[in-house]
Amino acid sequence: MARNSYFFAVSLVVALTGCGSSTPDKKVEKDPSETVKPDAGTIKEATNSSEKNKEEPAKAFALGDMIKPFDPPILEDLNAKVQWVDRPVIDAAPLLRERQAKEKQLATVEEALKLHNDSPQDNERILSALGRLPSEEGKEVNWDATINRHSFGDVNSTNPILASSTAEFDISGLINFGLFTFDWAFTPFASKDTVVSWQSSKDGLFDKVVLRDDLTWSDGRPITAHDVEYSFKVILTEAVPVKAQRSGTDKLKWVKAYDDHTVVFFHQESLVTNEWNLNFSVIPKHVYEKTIAKDPLLNRHPDHVNLENNPVTGGPYTIKSRTRGQEIVLERRESYYMHGGKQVRDKPYFKTVRFRIRDNPSVALLGLKAGDIDEMIIIPEQWRTQTTDDEFYKTNTKAYALEWTEFHFLWNCQSDLFSDKRVRKAMSFAFDHKEMIEKLRYGLDEPCNGIFNSTSKWAPQPAPKPYQQDQDKAEELLDEAGWTDTDGDGIRDKTINGKKVKFAFTVLVSNKQDRIDICTLLKQSLDQIGIKCDVKPLEFTVLIDKMTKHDFQAAFGGWGTGTDPDTSDNIWGTGQERNYGQYSNPEVDKLFIAGRHEFDPEKRAEIYRKIHLLLYEDQPYTWLFFQNAYYGFNKSLRGYVFSPRGPYHYSPGFSSIWKPVVP
Amino acid sequence: MKPAPSTIAEAKNARRPARGFWSDTWRRFATKKLSLLALVFVGLMGCIALASPFIVGVKPVVCKYKGRIYFPCLSYFHERLENPIFVKELRKKYSVNLRKKDPDSWAIWPLVRQDPFNRVKEDEWEDQPGNPTGSDGKPSRYNIMGTNQAGVDVFAQLVHGTKIALLVGFVSTGISAAIGMTLGALAGYLGGWVDMFVSRMIEVMMCIPTLVLILALIAVVDKATIWHTMVVIGVTSWTGIARLTRAEFLKLRNLEYVIAARALGAGRLRVMFRHVLPNALAPVLVPISFGIASAILVENALSFLGFGSPPPNASWGTLLNAGQRSPDMWWLIFFPGIAIFLTVMAYNLIGEGLQEATDPRLREGAK
C-alpha cells in the first residue's frame, strides 16, 4: 500500500472528452522535474521503470475486488423510483467561440505577431489576437499541419488508466475516450462528442448517461456502455497498478451498463462533489478482457507490450510511433470524426501531434528557437532574459497568464519546532518576501496569501494581506513562544520535556536551482534572528517519500489548483494522505464535510472562504507566491487560451489550438 | 668513475655531506621551471584560502563594538566564531547596524565587500549599489567577475571556493593515500591470502564506476556536508595508490636491508612502516599529486550535478552549474573554469615534476 499512497501523493484524476483535452481535475503536485509548470513527474518515471522488473502484483487478479458487493436494481425499477434532472451536454468549442465573439479583439494578427511581449497590455493583445478559434468552417485552417509539443519527460505508460504524470495525461488526453469534462471556469459537463444525455437524480445518488451510437475504437469495434462499466471495475482492481485515476473513482458505489448505450453511476452519498467522481478513462473491454488476468500489471503479456506502442484508442488520435526518451508521434484518427461516411464530430485541427522529450529547459528553448518545438513552458529566468531578442521573436512569440499554482514553505505541525502557531507565524514574518518576489522571481509573480487565489470565487473578499517581512514581530512571537537564546550561543533554544532543543532544522526542497535559491533566502532570513536552517535538495521521489512519511521538519512545495475546492480536503483534513505537515484543525475538518453537503453555491463558497481564513490564521504553510503560466509559442500557432490551470488542462484546451494555411 | 679514496682519513676529508634522496629529488624538481611555478601557484592558493575573509566578505575584519574588539570575519571559517551579540543586536547586518547601534564603533572591512552566499542588497552599503540578479549581473566595478542568477558575487564565491577546492584535494587524497598505502603495504609485504584478498578487492572497487558509487554513498548520508563529500571521494579513489604501493613492497621486501632488519628481530609492522615504506614513498607521491587534481575535479563535477555540499556553497562546480542554466552568462563559466583549469593543471605539473625527479629512468640525461 505504501506504493499506492505515494502515487496518490501526485494524484490527479482525468476526465477526457472526445475533443481530446486532458483534464486532470484534482490538485496536482508541482513537480520539480519540470521547471515551471511541472504537474507531475518525470523523475518519477525513471524510478518506475527501474522498479518495473522487480514489481510483482500485490494480489492475484480479481476484477473489481476493491468495490463493495452491490446488487444494482433493474433500470425500470430505478426509473420508477427516482426523479431525473437533465444535466448539461455541451460541445466545448462552440462554448469558447461564443465567449470569444463577445470579447473585443485588441489587435490584428499581423500586429500581434510584430509585438514584443514586454508589458501586460502587449500580453493582452497577443492573447486576444492569436488566441482566437478559427471560423466554424475552418477554411483558414491548415488541416495537414503538424504540431511539435514539448514534454519535460517520457511517459511510463500510454495506457490511460495508468497515467499519473503530466506527460502521460498530455498523451492520454489525445488518445483516450471519456464522457465528462469541464471548461475554463471549472464547470463540469458531459461532452457532446460522446454523450447523448446526462441526467442526475434529484437526490444526487444516481447519474444516468446515454452514450452516442456512432462511437468506435480505433480497431473498428463500437464503444459501448459495457466498456465504461468494465473500466470502472479495472480501475478498482487491486492487482492493477492504477495510480491517479483511482482517487475519486473509488468514491463511486457501482457503475452499471444496462444496454450498449445506457450506463448508470451509483453514489454512496448525496454530495455536491459527486459529479467529479464520474470522471475516469475508458479502456476497450474486448481488448483487455482475455489477457488482463494473466498480466494485471499490463506490461508483460506480449499483447500488452504491443498495446503500449499501438494502443486501441477511443480518442481523436492514435499513436503512430514512439522512441523512448526521444519522441512520441500521434496521428489523427479518421474513424473518430467520420462514421458511416459522414462527419459526425469536429475534425481535430492537427494531422500529427509530435511530443519532443527534452528534460533540460535550456535545450528545449534552443529547440523552440530552431523551430523543432512549437510550444513550451518557459521558466521565469528565460522569460526575462533569453526570450527578449529578435532572434527569439523571429519565429516565436510568448504569452503568460495567471495560473492558480501556489508555492509555499510547509511546516510539520507535529514537530517540536512548529507545533506552535506563533512559531509558524514568526517564520512567515521572518522571511524576506520582497526580495523573493522582486529578485528571485524577477517581479513576474504575485504574492500568495493562502489556499485560494483572490480571483477565485472561493477566496474571501477582501482577501487577507500576504505576509511582509517584519523581523521585530518575528522575534517577538518567538520570544513569546519560549524560544530564546538561553545559553548565549547565538541560536535560540527551548526546554521541551526537560530537554534543551535548539531551533535548528532542515528545509527539504526539490533539486531545482530557482527553488533552492528561495530556501537559501529563508536560511539567510532566519540566520539573522538566531535560527539555524539547513537547505537539503532532494530528488522529487525521495522528497515525496519523506513527506508522505512525515519524516521532515520543513519543506518547500507547491500545488496546482484542483477543479473543485473539495480536492483540498486531502491536503488539510486531519490524517489525510496529502496532509504532509500533519495539520489538524477540527473546525476545518467539519467545514470540509459541510462543504461537500452544501448544494447552494453561495453558501458553499462561504464555507471555503472560512477555511481560507482559518488556514491563514494558523499558517501551517508560509505561502509565498502564485506562479504564472509562461509559454513560448511558434508564430504559426493560433487558438491558445489560458485557464487557471494553464492552456491545456481543461476543455477545449489543446483542441482549440490550430495552425493557419500558409498563403 | 669515482676515484677510490686511498685512506679512510682522506675519504673523511673529501666527503661532502652526501645528498639524501629527498634533497636530491628537490634539487631535480627545482630545475623544472613549470613544476616550480605550479608549486608556487598552489602555495598562493593556500594563502588566498587562508586570507579569504580578509579579501572578500561583508563582515568586518576587525571592529570595535561597545568598547570591545571583535573579529567577525572569522565566521567565514566557522559560524561559531561569530559572537552571538551580533545575532542578537545587529542581526548580522554589520554594514547598516554597526553604526546605528553604536555610533562610536569602528571597523576595518575586507578589500571587496561582497558575500559568497548572499546577494548584497540595495540598502546594505551607502557607497555601493545592490547586486543585480538574473543575467544583468555582468562583470562591473562592484562585481568584478559578475554575479550569478540569484545576485551572489562570483568573485566572492571564487575566493571562498578556493578553501573548498584545497580542502577537498588534500583531505580526500589524504584519506585515499592512507587507505591505499596501508592496504597496498599489507598486500605487498605479507603476500599469500592477504595479497589475494586485497588485490581482488582492488579489482572489485575498480569495476564500479566511481561517480555512480559516490552518488550512491552521498544519497545515504542524511545531512551531507562538504566533509562527507571529501570522505566519499577519499574512500573511492585509493585503488591506484594501493596497487603502486603493493608493487613497491613486492620489489623491496626481498632486498638485503629488509632481510637484515627481519634478521635483527624487527616486527612485521616495524619493517613495513619504518623500513620499507619510506623507500616506497617516492613513486606513490606521484599518484597522490594527480589524485588531488582528480579529487578537485570530482568535487566540482558533483557540485555541477547538484550533489555537492549543501547550498549555499561556494564551490566552483556550483558556479559552473549556474552557468550551464544560462548560456549567455559567460562569466559564470569562464572564471570558475579558469580557476579549475589552473588548479588542476598545477597539481598535474607538480605530479609530473615529482615523477621525473624521483624516477631515475625519466631523469634528463640519464642513461
Side-chain angles (χ1 to χ4, degrees), chain A residues 279-410:
Chain A
N279 285 343
F280 55 83
S281 298
V282 178
I283 53 169
K285 184 180 179 186
H286 65 277
V287 172
Y288 288 99
E289 209 171 23
K290 293 202 185 78
T291 48
I292 194 164
K294 287 179 210 150
D295 172 29
L297 298 177
L298 296 172
N299 61 6
R300 285 184 198 165
H301 191 279
D303 288 1
H304 292 165
V305 173
N306 183 33
L307 279 168
E308 266 299 318
N309 292 328
N310 303 296
V312 173
T313 68
Y317 288 86
T318 52
I319 293 186
K320 190 176 156 205
S321 68
R322 186 176 166 196
T323 318
R324 290 234 173 217
Q326 292 289 318
E327 62 170 28
I328 300 166
V329 184
L330 309 183
E331 198 154 55
R332 186 167 56 206
R333 177 164 81 92
E334 204 187 311
S335 57
Y336 163 76
Y337 60 93
M338 300 295 282
H339 188 79
K342 259 188 7 208
Q343 184 172 344
V344 289
R345 266 173 285 275
D346 289 341
K347 184 174 170 182
Y349 290 132
F350 290 104
K351 183 159 184 272
T352 311
V353 180
R354 180 183 289 113
F355 286 88
R356 290 197 196 267
I357 298 156
R358 303 279 186 271
D359 56 0
N360 184 323
S362 309
V363 176
L365 186 63
L366 287 178
L368 185 75
K369 287 181 180 172
D372 297 338
I373 289 174
D374 287 333
E375 63 82 33
M376 68 173 279
I377 291 168
I378 300 181
I379 62 175
E381 216 170 284
Q382 295 174 332
W383 175 276
R384 199 169 144 270
T385 59
Q386 293 158 45
T387 56
T388 48
D389 51 355
D390 291 337
E391 190 207 337
F392 173 80
Y393 280 108
K394 206 165 85 190
T395 47
N396 302 291
T397 186
K398 58 182 182 180
Y400 72 91
L402 175 72
E403 193 175 300
W404 294 345
T405 295
E406 51 86 7
F407 285 87
H408 53 255
F409 292 121
L410 159 65

Side-chain angles (χ1 to χ4, degrees), chain A residues 384-385 435 475 513 536, chain B residues 91 119 135-136 222 325:
Chain A
R384 199 169 144 270
T385 59
E435 172 84 4
E475 290 204 290
Q513 196 56 43
K536 187 170 170 67
Chain B
R91 289 202 181 117
R119 189 177 84 90
S135 62
D136 294 343
D222 191 34
R325 281 184 293 133

Side-chain angles (χ1 to χ4, degrees), chain A residues 395-657:
Chain A
T395 47
N396 302 291
T397 186
K398 58 182 182 180
Y400 72 91
L402 175 72
E403 193 175 300
W404 294 345
T405 295
E406 51 86 7
F407 285 87
H408 53 255
F409 292 121
L410 159 65
W411 313 113
N412 190 339
C413 301
Q414 301 293 323
S415 66
D416 286 344
L417 301 181
F418 301 111
S419 54
D420 191 328
K421 182 164 94 182
R422 288 171 296 192
V423 175
R424 300 195 297 260
K425 281 186 170 171
M427 295 295 118
S428 299
F429 276 122
F431 184 67
D432 195 346
H433 296 269
K434 192 167 157 243
E435 172 84 4
M436 174 196 67
I437 292 280
E438 287 177 7
K439 299 297 170 186
L440 297 181
R441 305 301 305 172
Y442 307 110
L444 292 169
D445 296 313
E446 282 169 37
C448 170
N449 65 11
I451 58 170
F452 297 116
N453 187 280
S454 53
T455 58
S456 152
K457 62 180 167 184
W458 316 110
Q461 296 296 348
K465 275 212 179 95
Y467 272 75
Q468 292 289 328
Q469 188 180 33
D470 185 343
Q471 289 189 323
D472 294 332
K473 217 161 190 172
E475 290 204 290
E476 225 170 80
L477 282 162
L478 285 168
D479 291 345
E480 224 176 89
W483 290 99
T484 46
D485 183 11
T486 55
D487 52 6
D489 66 348
I491 299 171
R492 288 170 186 271
D493 52 65
K494 185 181 173 179
T495 310
I496 299 171
N497 298 332
K499 252 174 90 183
K500 199 168 81 177
V501 179
K502 278 197 182 310
F503 207 133
F505 67 96
T506 306
V507 56
L508 306 183
V509 57
S510 57
N511 211 340
K512 283 279 159 201
Q513 196 56 43
D514 52 340
R515 297 173 191 210
I516 294 171
D517 286 344
I518 292 175
C519 292
T520 311
L521 182 62
L522 174 75
K523 177 191 168 82
Q524 187 197 1
S525 299
L526 295 181
D527 191 38
Q528 295 176 341
I529 56 169
I531 292 172
K532 200 166 151 19
C533 163
D534 287 317
V535 182
K536 187 170 170 67
L538 291 171
E539 216 179 274
F540 184 62
T541 29
V542 184
L543 179 69
I544 291 295
D545 190 46
K546 281 197 179 265
M547 298 219 283
T548 313
K549 290 179 187 151
H550 312 297
D551 178 17
F552 72 102
Q553 290 157 306
F556 178 88
W559 292 112
T561 182
T563 47
D564 189 88
D566 189 54
T567 50
S568 299
D569 183 30
N570 76 359
I571 296 170
W572 302 112
T574 305
Q576 293 282 354
E577 62 211 5
R578 290 197 286 181
N579 188 346
Y580 304 134
Q582 305 180 78
Y583 171 75
S584 172
N585 183 342
E587 210 177 330
V588 170
D589 292 348
K590 263 188 234 148
L591 284 170
F592 269 114
I593 294 169
R596 271 196 288 271
H597 287 90
E598 181 55 68
F599 281 81
D600 182 282
E602 192 36 49
K603 280 189 198 151
R604 187 162 185 243
E606 203 44 58
I607 289 172
Y608 292 107
R609 287 174 201 147
K610 255 187 225 158
I611 293 176
H612 185 113
L613 292 173
L614 281 172
L615 289 173
Y616 179 81
E617 171 59 26
D618 284 345
Q619 287 285 307
Y621 288 179
T622 290
W623 281 282
L624 300 173
F625 60 93
F626 282 106
Q627 178 178 273
N628 288 328
Y630 302 103
Y631 276 80
F633 295 107
N634 190 287
K635 278 190 173 171
S636 65
L637 287 187
R638 304 280 183 278
Y640 31 86
V641 179
F642 286 79
S643 80
R645 297 168 64 93
Y648 304 129
H649 301 136
Y650 70 100
S651 202
F654 176 72
S655 58
S656 70
I657 297 176

